[in-house]
């Protein structure tokens, strides 16, 4: 699953549209395989300068069966 190209502190590298597409595909595949996706809390947002407040709703919308692992 790739939702960003490069990383840094100058601009946002997280591509929310790409992330949404990846999450939708993950959801479909997980249903096909009867598996539950587990995703890390905040998905490493710091390097891509994305906002968890935007990413979290994308997960809920596009991959509602995902479990967010906090620890």
């Amino acid at each position: 699953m790739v939702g960003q190209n490069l990383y840094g502190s100058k601009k946002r590298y997280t591509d929310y549209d790409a992330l949404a597409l990846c999450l939708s595909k993950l959801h479909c595949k997980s249903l096909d395989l009867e598996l539950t996706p587990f995703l890390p809390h905040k998905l490493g947002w710091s390097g891509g300068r994305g906002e968890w407040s935007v990413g979290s709703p994308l997960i809920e919308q596009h991959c509602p069966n995902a479990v967010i692992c906090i620890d």
Side-chain angles (χ1 to χ4, degrees):
M1 195 167 82
V2 178
Q4 79 182 53
N5 182 25
L6 302 174
Y7 64 93
S9 60
K10 302 285 186 206
K11 65 177 189 171
R12 178 173 55 86
Y13 294 94
T14 301
D15 182 333
Y16 295 123
D17 292 331
L19 179 62
L21 179 61
C22 290
L23 289 166
S24 292
K25 289 182 177 191
L26 176 63
H27 179 65
C28 290
K29 192 66 170 179
S30 70
L31 293 177
D32 289 345
L33 297 173
E34 298 179 3
L35 297 172
T36 301
F38 287 80
L39 301 173
H41 182 251
K42 295 194 177 183
L43 291 169
W45 290 109
S46 60
R49 307 285 299 163
E51 296 291 331
W52 181 246
S53 61
V54 177
S56 180
L58 288 176
I59 294 169
E60 292 172 9
Q61 179 183 358
H62 296 283
C63 194
N65 62 332
V67 174
I68 306 298
C69 302
I70 295 186
D71 287 325

